[in-house]
Amino acid sequence: MAVIADRCPEIQVTVVDLNQARIDAWNDPDLSKLPVYEPGLDAVVGRCRGRNLHFTTAVDAAIAAADMVFLSVNTPTKTKGVGAGQASDLRWIEASARQVAACAQGHTIVVEKSTLPVRTAETVKAILNAAQGEVAGAGAPKTFSVLSNPEFLAEGTAIPDLEAPDRVLIGGEDAASIDALASVYGHWVPQERILRTNLWSSELSKLTANAFLAQRISSINSIAALCEATGADVNEVAHAIGADSRIGAKFLKAGPGFGGSCFQKDILNLVYLCGHYGLHDVAAYWQSVVELNIWQQQRIAQLVVQKLFGTVTGKRIAVLGFAFKADTNDTREAPAIRICQDLLEEGAQLAIYDPKVPESQITSDLGCHPLISPMGSPLSGDGVWHRVTTPTEAVAQADAVLILTEWASFAELNWQELAGQMRKPAWLFDARSIADLSAAQAAGLQVWRVGCG
Ligand code: UDX
């Protein structure tokens, strides 16, 4: 919405939320305090806020004033009831649709921005249709048109992704509404990049795009394990296959598995949908992408234990990176969570460093509180962790360093200096292929790199 406001100065964009603290944070004069860390977002918000970008909790009034409403609420995987663990929880999308139905005036275009299961638009339409024709105050009768406009931005590169998207997808049935939304994007996106489809194709394209991207990561991670077993190098294999224009070079980076709010959730959604339509083999095919991803995380934790003489009890391990990818403070489904939990279960003492993830977030992700230093009794068998503020602090007296996020600063680490602080024999486990391995080896560390045999 901030980018739309930036590119369309004549359009008033109002972002509404029920959460006052969150809206206050979006209105904080100190742009470093915005609730989301995203490179470049502060500058865009700084340019537009107060001009044509507004943040408020006055939801009803904003809906009443709007020609177009974007539903951008979250749709997490259901934790209970029918479809638990797979289907999306649609309670917030339904609540928002009802609020729009109640408060809208005249004609309103309702745009699904949240990633939704296929045919959700039907629910939204049914709710809106029930209010169609009502007249609010002295206004015109209510009418609605529903569009699907899924978002393909990736975190960490959200602003450039929005400013130069590969494509914008608009699904719908009413040509005039599609044109209205296309004209918003048309301020900066070339017409040939604005794709028009029916509602269901648009909803399904978003799930499919994420499933295909995630599938590439599981595929390359499966080959990484084979490379380690055979003496091949997964980076060389990825480079060689990526040079084939039919395959392409992107999304072939082996690592600790994919994380983030979308991939797992959307695949599970696809699995649920396939099951619903009786396509059980198709469901199993996509389910295997998620299973391989979990296997990769477990494999890395086990490998660390095995290399450290079969036990990490009481050993100190420096974990570098906790976010699910670089340039974000987001930890949703981060591979670091499962890997750290497995190591804690084995009794390890983790010193966790991430430039952007706060201690409170790690506490909630790991489900246990940090131990305030000094670390616990080494051989008690209880895994403990604490957050440190520099990589140097993390490696002090550590038996191993484990890199789980590809923060650029980790490529610059001075291994000569760090290795001197560690207990020998010391290991570097690089699950992101980012560290300078020859420098680490020269400093006396034993090294393991994902996909390198
Ligand atoms: C993803 C999609 O890319 C985006 O189009 C969609 O709108 C939302 O979901 P995001 O989750 O923000 O975006 O990040 P992405 O860059 O796709 O990375 C997802 C995960 O895959 C990260 O954990 C990342 O580290 C991992 N990844 C990505 C790899 O392990 N290897 C790769 O080659 C690429």
Side-chain angles (χ1 to χ4, degrees):
M1 290 305 118
V3 169
I4 289 179
D6 199 26
R7 296 303 176 119
C8 311
E10 84 287 7
I11 298 179
Q12 289 294 320
V13 178
T14 306
V15 178
V16 297
D17 199 294
L18 300 173
N19 184 330
Q20 184 70 55
R22 182 156 287 241
I23 289 297
D24 289 347
W26 282 112
N27 281 323
D28 198 308
D30 179 354
L31 288 166
S32 71
K33 297 213 175 111
L34 297 183
V36 173
Y37 170 70
E38 188 62 50
L41 178 61
D42 48 357
V44 177
V45 171
R47 275 199 296 276
C48 312
R49 198 172 56 186
R51 181 188 77 184
N52 64 331
L53 175 65
H54 316 278
F55 297 93
T56 170
T57 50
V59 182
D60 293 355
I63 293 172
D67 299 303
M68 211 177 259
V69 176
F70 289 77
L71 301 180
S72 315
V73 295
N74 64 340
T75 51
T77 305
K78 276 181 86 172
T79 53
K80 56 184 184 182
V82 177
Q86 288 185 337
S88 285
D89 191 336
L90 296 180
R91 76 179 93 166
W92 294 282
I93 202 89
E94 180 172 337
S96 329
R98 286 185 190 279
Q99 198 162 4
V100 173
C103 303
Q105 294 191 4
H107 185 65
T108 308
I109 298 172
V110 178
V111 185
E112 295 178 344
K113 198 56 159 160
S114 307
T115 302
L116 296 167
V118 181
R119 303 203 80 90
T120 304
E122 202 135 277
T123 311
V124 172
K125 268 201 281 187
I127 292 168
L128 296 173
N129 283 345
Q132 195 120 290
E134 286 173 9
V135 182
K142 294 182 191 195
T143 51
F144 297 99
S145 170
V146 178
L147 300 178
S148 160
N149 173 222
E151 184 48 63
F152 295 99
L153 68 81
E155 289 181 34
T157 53
I159 301 299
D161 290 349
L162 286 162
E163 289 181 336
D166 287 347
R167 79 313 205 177
V168 164
L169 183 56
I170 304 177
E173 284 147 9
D174 168 28
S177 303
I178 296 175
D179 286 346
L181 183 54
S183 77
V184 173
Y185 288 107
H187 281 74
W188 78 97
V189 181
Q191 280 305 319
E192 65 277 11
R193 296 206 175 182
I194 303 180
L195 311 184
R196 296 154 191 246
T197 66
N198 74 33
L199 269 173
W200 325 126
S201 300
S202 169
E203 289 180 340
L204 187 57
S205 297
K206 169 71 188 192
L207 296 187
T208 306
N210 278 343
F212 268 58
L213 291 169
Q215 179 203 44
R216 282 173 73 96
I217 300 170
S218 278
S219 297
I220 200 69
N221 283 342
S222 75
I223 298 301
L226 187 59
C227 288
E228 288 165 33
T230 56
D233 180 336
V234 77
N235 289 339
E236 292 177 357
V237 173
H239 184 67
I241 64 167
D244 185 327
S245 60
R246 293 168 302 174
I247 296 176
K250 293 182 180 163
F251 270 73
L252 287 179
K253 192 104 186 78
F258 56 78
S261 65
C262 290
F263 283 174
Q264 176 165 317
K265 178 183 74 125
D266 288 353
I267 296 178
L268 292 176
N269 222 311
L270 201 58
V271 168
Y272 182 72
L273 194 71
C274 294
H276 176 78
Y277 287 104
L279 300 168
H280 300 296
D281 296 310
V282 182
Y285 173 70
W286 288 109
Q287 177 77 36
S288 72
V289 172
V290 173
E291 279 162 14
L292 198 287
N293 192 50
I294 294 171
W295 175 80
Q296 175 76 344
Q297 295 165 23
Q298 290 168 335
R299 180 175 90 82
I300 288 174
Q302 283 164 14
L303 184 140
V304 170
V305 175
Q306 185 220 326
K307 299 270 191 214
L308 295 180
F309 308 117
T311 176
V312 292
T313 302
K315 290 185 181 158
R316 182 166 164 134
I317 299 174
V319 175
L320 301 188
F322 201 83
F324 83 97
K325 62 187 276 191
D327 293 322
T328 175
N329 58 356
D330 195 341
T331 62
R332 284 176 290 177
E333 306 295 341
I337 300 173
R338 182 172 281 109
I339 295 172
C340 287
Q341 281 172 335
D342 286 359
L343 292 171
L344 290 172
E345 187 67 28
E346 293 283 343
Q349 306 201 349
L350 306 180
I352 302 175
Y353 167 73
D354 188 288
K356 288 287 172 198
V357 180
E359 184 178 273
S360 55
Q361 187 59 48
I362 303 175
T363 305
S364 111
D365 290 333
L366 293 180
C368 60
H369 286 281
L371 191 84
I372 310 304
S373 59
M375 287 283 209
S377 152
L379 298 180
S380 71
D382 295 330
V384 289
W385 69 275
H386 74 296
R387 183 180 183 276
V388 294
T389 49
T390 61
T392 310
E393 204 186 329
V395 303
Q397 286 309 307
D399 296 277
V401 176
L402 172 56
I403 300 180
L404 293 179
T405 311
E406 73 286 20
W407 286 101
S409 60
F410 297 163
E412 316 286 318
L413 291 171
N414 180 339
W415 291 104
Q416 206 61 47
E417 214 171 278
L418 296 178
Q421 319 272 331
M422 298 174 71
R423 190 168 83 153
K424 305 296 177 327
W427 276 87
L428 165 62
F429 298 97
D430 185 1
R432 291 284 189 175
S433 291
I434 185 166
D436 181 345
L437 289 199
S438 37
Q441 271 161 337
L445 298 181
Q446 305 196 59
V447 298
W448 169 87
R449 199 192 76 201
V450 65
C452 190

